[in-house]
Amino acid sequence: MLFDVDDTLIDYASAEYNGIVSYLRALGVEGELDAAAARFGELQAFHFDRFLAGRTDYVGQARALAVDMIAWMKAPSVHDPYRWFLGYRERYEASLRLFPDVLDGLASLGNVPLGIVTNSDTAFSRVKLRRVGLLSRFHCVVGVDAAGVSKPHPRIFHAGCAALGYPPAVTAYVGDNKLGDAAAADAAGLLGVWVNRFGAGGDGVTDLRQLAAVLKLDPGPVATLPRQARLASGLR
């Protein structure tokens, strides 16, 4: 079974908000911090999309984000924008928290081999997972730099399956984005599972502790995922 990270296992949205607000306070920034946090989120999304499109690398998007944020605040320019970004990232990492269902949800899967496929940098993703105590739980971590493409491209899902050592037909992918995670994984030949964190639309899995039962995992030395789970679960 493969998992997304941000807003699936880790509460990314809260960590981003708390990280930038804490950082701006430490820098002595005054004014409306909620507005600043919102603008930072917009810039983060814009520059990270450029990274996913292959138009820049991880450091490049981080540097450009810092430059734009500093300009938006009308603050003096800095000699090394990447160091400014690292100041934010330190506080972001300190704010990382798992969703409350994650540990029990993963434990309920028993000996199912687990891996990560993420639209982020592999090394940074490993840092995040280590920070929240999850890294050792996963057999592999595959980011966009390792796969050469980002979700929803099938190749990143197939790279995750190859790293985990199982074919797509017997592998599930669990993520918080209904189209970019669950539907894209389905299209790549996996079983896509949508984690509906906010309960919108009435379908999907709202709690990771439901996974083992909903997917009807077969017991054994290494648990397997029955293909009829797609029809039984209504997760598409």
Side-chain angles (χ1 to χ4, degrees), residues 47-106:
H47 289 291
F48 202 77
D49 281 349
R50 295 184 71 248
F51 165 65
L52 294 180
R55 298 175 62 187
T56 185
D57 59 11
Y58 180 81
V59 173
Q61 65 85 28
R63 181 178 289 113
L65 164 62
V67 168
D68 284 356
M69 187 63 189
I70 291 167
W72 181 84
M73 294 188 300
K74 296 181 172 58
S77 61
V78 297
H79 175 69
D80 187 350
Y82 186 58
R83 287 185 63 85
W84 189 97
F85 173 82
L86 292 179
Y88 153 73
R89 198 173 86 172
E90 179 181 358
R91 287 157 180 81
Y92 159 77
E93 290 179 14
S95 300
L96 292 172
R97 300 290 185 273
L98 296 174
F99 286 105
D101 58 336
V102 170
L103 293 179
D104 288 343
L106 294 181

Side-chain angles (χ1 to χ4, degrees), residues 3-170:
F3 284 81
D4 173 52
V5 177
D6 292 334
D7 287 327
T8 296
L9 302 174
I10 290 174
D11 186 352
Y12 171 82
S14 294
E16 179 185 86
Y17 175 84
N18 292 332
I20 189 60
V21 167
S22 171
Y23 186 41
L24 293 180
R25 282 176 176 155
L27 294 175
V29 174
E30 300 179 354
E32 182 50 62
L33 291 179
D34 282 348
R39 182 55 179 162
F40 182 83
E42 294 169 354
L43 292 171
Q44 178 92 285
F46 172 78
H47 289 291
F48 202 77
D49 281 349
R50 295 184 71 248
F51 165 65
L52 294 180
R55 298 175 62 187
T56 185
D57 59 11
Y58 180 81
V59 173
Q61 65 85 28
R63 181 178 289 113
L65 164 62
V67 168
D68 284 356
M69 187 63 189
I70 291 167
W72 181 84
M73 294 188 300
K74 296 181 172 58
S77 61
V78 297
H79 175 69
D80 187 350
Y82 186 58
R83 287 185 63 85
W84 189 97
F85 173 82
L86 292 179
Y88 153 73
R89 198 173 86 172
E90 179 181 358
R91 287 157 180 81
Y92 159 77
E93 290 179 14
S95 300
L96 292 172
R97 300 290 185 273
L98 296 174
F99 286 105
D101 58 336
V102 170
L103 293 179
D104 288 343
L106 294 181
S108 73
L109 300 176
N111 55 9
V112 175
L114 305 179
I116 293 291
V117 169
T118 173
N119 271 3
S120 189
D121 175 81
T122 301
F124 184 36
S125 297
R126 294 177 67 86
V127 168
K128 290 193 293 186
L129 291 167
R130 184 180 294 111
R131 183 87 188 211
V132 296
L134 281 189
L135 182 59
S136 63
R137 188 68 177 84
F138 295 97
H139 291 68
C140 63
V141 178
V142 176
V144 293
D145 54 317
V149 292
S150 61
K151 296 179 291 184
H153 198 291
R155 196 163 77 232
I156 193 169
F157 296 104
H158 296 163
C161 291
L164 193 60
Y166 291 86
V170 298

